[in-house]
Amino acid sequence: MIRRLVLSAVLCLSLAAPARAVDSGALFEAELERLSEILGALHYLRGLCGANDGQKWRNEMRALLDAEAQAPERRTKLMASFNRGYNGFQQTYRTCTAAADLAVRRYLDEGTKISREITARFTN
């Protein structure tokens, strides 16, 4: 009986306490920056290697920005990550090579993994 009273009191106090806002963006900022970089790399490499994706990866980045980057400084960081991924491979690869194709496969896997982890961790 006493245990129930204590549990009830703890529950009431926790419900009465003001809720603190948690910036979920800060919790997974590094993952979003990495995902942005991967999208940039894929945008360059998939086009280089003849995939018929068109603007798919740029559009995915735009959707990510619209969903997660309302603050201008956050938007700038994520766009910089996308551009870093794109430019890094643009400076390295002029034609599609076996290494470029391997990078595409690895980035697709890593991007999928990051997306799943973020979704699993931060959605109900």
Side-chain angles (χ1 to χ4, degrees), residues 60-77:
E60 292 291 331
M61 183 62 196
R62 187 171 292 123
L64 178 65
L65 290 171
D66 290 345
E68 295 296 334
Q70 301 306 313
E73 58 277 350
R74 189 171 197 205
R75 190 173 192 86
T76 300
K77 279 176 118 177

Side-chain angles (χ1 to χ4, degrees), residues 10-116:
V10 168
L11 180 61
C12 288
L13 288 174
S14 66
L15 292 175
R20 287 189 292 165
V22 176
D23 180 10
S24 62
L27 297 174
F28 59 97
E29 192 69 28
E31 288 93 344
L32 286 179
E33 287 182 27
R34 179 65 181 150
L35 185 57
S36 298
E37 190 172 348
I38 289 169
L39 290 172
L42 287 171
H43 182 61
Y44 179 75
L45 289 171
R46 293 283 292 176
L48 182 69
C49 290
N52 291 325
D53 293 342
Q55 296 295 308
K56 177 181 178 171
W57 304 106
R58 184 181 299 255
N59 291 339
E60 292 291 331
M61 183 62 196
R62 187 171 292 123
L64 178 65
L65 290 171
D66 290 345
E68 295 296 334
Q70 301 306 313
E73 58 277 350
R74 189 171 197 205
R75 190 173 192 86
T76 300
K77 279 176 118 177
L78 294 179
M79 286 177 11
S81 294
F82 179 89
N83 291 335
R84 186 173 46 254
Y86 185 94
N87 293 332
F89 282 100
Q90 184 183 39
Q91 292 173 4
T92 306
Y93 293 98
R94 300 285 184 225
T95 61
C96 186
T97 63
D101 192 51
L102 178 62
V104 167
R105 288 192 306 256
R106 287 183 177 172
Y107 279 139
L108 287 170
D109 289 344
E110 185 181 356
T112 300
K113 180 182 175 198
I114 291 170
S115 296
R116 284 184 184 152

